Amino acid sequence: MARKVFPPVSAGSVAVDRFHVTRPEMNTMRITLARPDDWHLHLRDGQALRAVLPYSARQFARAVIMPNLRPPVTTVAAAGDYRRRILEALPDEARFEPLMTLYLTDDTSADEIRRAVDSGFVKAVKLYPAGATTHSDAGVTDLDRCDAALAEMERAGLPLLAHGEVTDPAIDLFDRERVFIETVLQPLLARRPGLRVVFEHITTKEAAEFVASAGENVAATITAHHLLYNRNALFAGGVRPHYYCLPVLKRETHRRALLRAATSGSRKFFLGTDSAPHARRAKETACGCAGCFTALSALELYAEAFEQAGALDRLEAFASFNGADFYRLPRNQGSLTLEKRTWTLPASLPYTDGDELTPLRAGEPISWKLLA
Ligand code: NCD
Ligand code: ZN
């Protein structure tokens, strides 16, 4: 039976395990959850890194950092250097741990995987099918070529993070995730049944069902934007480049399936924003980059989605427990609190010299606010 989270009257506090809904005054509602993690984040480098990192660090204790820099982070040495640059860019008071990833290529060796495991700071390996998305041109052309690396990952339990889309231009853009399951993921898991796989930023009912029915070694991240928007958002009154990401938003039936999966209580689904900043000029142009910048208000967006599903009591496990458990890392200490209060997101944010960043839903209202 569904548990009622919100008392109809101004009752003091309802506790559901460690999760709390409180009403400190009439008309305000707060939720407190254990400090969450972001299991899929693009931080970029240099000035861009310094511009976006504080938004993630104020919400998340840790984040899995995507390696699609130019050049890509393909070695443990490069991941170590990138990690140092992230730590140096952190605001003084921030406590934030970057969990590093390696960018899988046709040439990644089993030795590099062993070094990654031994490093202690590389927590996963990212699969970009070559050409699938932003900075994926150095990605994998054929998984058979990486089999030695995959065998070592299977042996060591190092997760493979899959950008799950085929790149065949003959396949309809909206079908590329579904076809990836049939033609890449299922054969891979048949060949390497012990490989631990996170199906990243899933966008379809088929992916949610596949993950739910797969073994314990298969999990998925889900973004806030795929929980909140369907593909109509891309064309609402005109082309909306800030809603364009890959995998692209799908139909409403898929959004609902994702929301069901995220709020199902299954431990296989967890938070991964895929926040992917691009300068406004690179988005608002004839051939705009894929990626939505959601880090500014990530938790608030997830809270809206979970509230919409009547499942705020499931937000904490999704945001703060399931990912840590899958990655075999300790759950975080500390907590943070969101208040039900409508405010307006900024129209733009500082980014790099001479360019700005437009957050998802810029200049529009959002109904939750993270308290300082
Ligand atoms: C990401 C980026 O910009 O790096 N873009 C995106 O649309 N999600 C790459 C990715 O994760 O696909
Ligand atoms: Zn991504």
Side-chain angles (χ1 to χ4, degrees):
M1 201 188 84
R3 200 192 283 244
K4 193 134 188 78
V5 180
F6 307 120
V9 289
S10 61
S13 153
V14 201
V16 183
D17 300 324
R18 286 204 60 261
F19 170 89
H20 302 287
V21 178
T22 55
R23 289 169 177 268
E25 303 152 28
M26 273 300 253
N27 304 326
T28 63
M29 180 167 61
R30 288 180 180 173
I31 57 175
T32 295
L33 51 156
R35 194 133 181 257
D37 301 301
D38 183 350
W39 300 98
H40 184 128
L41 177 63
H42 298 269
L43 284 178
R44 314 305 190 206
D45 212 342
Q47 246 191 330
L49 164 66
R50 286 191 293 279
V52 299
L53 177 60
Y55 303 118
S56 292
R58 77 182 268 270
Q59 298 167 74
F60 300 105
R62 300 170 289 201
V64 170
I65 310 302
M66 290 299 125
N68 62 333
L69 303 182
R70 276 200 194 285
V73 180
T74 54
T75 63
V76 176
D81 290 342
Y82 186 28
R83 179 171 178 274
R84 264 188 298 282
R85 295 198 296 279
I86 295 168
L87 293 174
E88 281 165 16
L90 272 175
D92 286 342
E93 72 287 1
R95 284 182 299 119
F96 175 81
E97 191 187 350
L99 308 172
M100 307 311 291
T101 58
L102 288 192
Y103 185 116
L104 189 67
T105 71
D106 289 352
D107 303 319
T108 305
S109 66
D111 280 346
E112 199 62 43
I113 299 299
R114 270 189 294 276
R115 276 192 287 277
V117 173
D118 292 344
S119 76
F121 57 79
V122 174
K123 300 297 186 192
V125 176
K126 180 69 193 260
L127 163 65
Y128 288 107
T133 186
T134 307
H135 301 171
S136 63
D137 35 306
V140 173
T141 62
D142 181 349
L143 269 179
D144 286 343
R145 301 198 179 175
C146 324
D147 198 55
L150 294 168
E152 189 56 30
M153 288 165 61
E154 181 181 30
R155 201 193 56 74
L158 190 66
L160 179 73
L161 313 183
H163 181 109
E165 289 190 290
V166 291
T167 54
D168 181 350
I171 307 287
D172 190 281
L173 182 75
F174 292 93
D175 295 334
R176 288 182 190 175
E177 185 173 279
R178 180 175 57 73
V179 175
F180 178 88
I181 299 170
E182 295 154 15
T183 62
V184 182
L185 196 50
Q186 280 178 328
L188 172 65
L189 286 165
R191 211 162 59 242
R192 301 248 152 251
L195 187 66
R196 310 186 71 238
V197 176
V198 184
F199 197 162
E200 296 290 314
H201 43 52
I202 59 169
T203 63
T204 57
K205 181 168 180 282
E206 288 82 3
E209 286 170 356
F210 176 79
V211 170
S213 63
E216 284 296 296
N217 54 320
V218 179
T221 53
I222 308 182
T223 78
H225 44 291
H226 289 100
L227 291 175
L228 287 168
Y229 296 103
N230 64 36
R231 64 193 193 179
N232 286 348
L234 284 161
F235 307 108
V239 177
R240 303 277 187 161
H242 299 290
Y243 290 80
Y244 173 59
C245 65
L246 286 169
V248 72
L249 293 170
K250 303 294 192 299
R251 284 178 180 277
E252 177 64 5
T253 45
H254 295 292
R255 186 190 73 87
R256 285 175 186 271
L258 298 176
L259 203 51
R260 274 198 304 279
T263 61
S264 65
S266 163
R267 302 174 62 211
K268 288 167 157 266
F269 300 99
F270 39 86
L271 185 158
T273 61
D274 194 21
S275 179
H278 290 278
R280 191 178 129 189
R281 266 195 294 215
K283 296 282 294 174
E284 297 178 7
T285 181
C287 185
C289 294
C292 299
F293 180 67
T294 55
L296 170 69
S297 50
L299 265 183
E300 292 135 328
L301 291 167
Y302 279 107
E304 269 196 14
F306 275 66
E307 184 181 26
Q308 194 184 96
L312 272 174
D313 60 327
R314 299 249 159 113
L315 179 60
E316 185 178 47
F318 177 82
S320 315
F321 299 155
N322 298 350
D325 296 352
F326 183 84
Y327 275 83
R328 299 172 177 161
L329 293 170
R331 294 178 180 184
N332 297 318
Q333 302 293 310
S335 63
L336 46 76
T337 298
L338 296 161
E339 185 168 279
K340 183 81 191 282
R341 185 206 307 169
T342 299
W343 59 291
T344 301
L345 288 174
S348 77
L349 300 165
Y351 193 46
T352 51
D353 276 344
D355 223 329
E356 55 187 31
L357 186 59
T358 306
L360 190 86
R361 210 192 273 180
E364 291 178 46
I366 183 162
S367 57
W368 286 89
K369 181 103 180 88
L370 179 65
L371 299 184

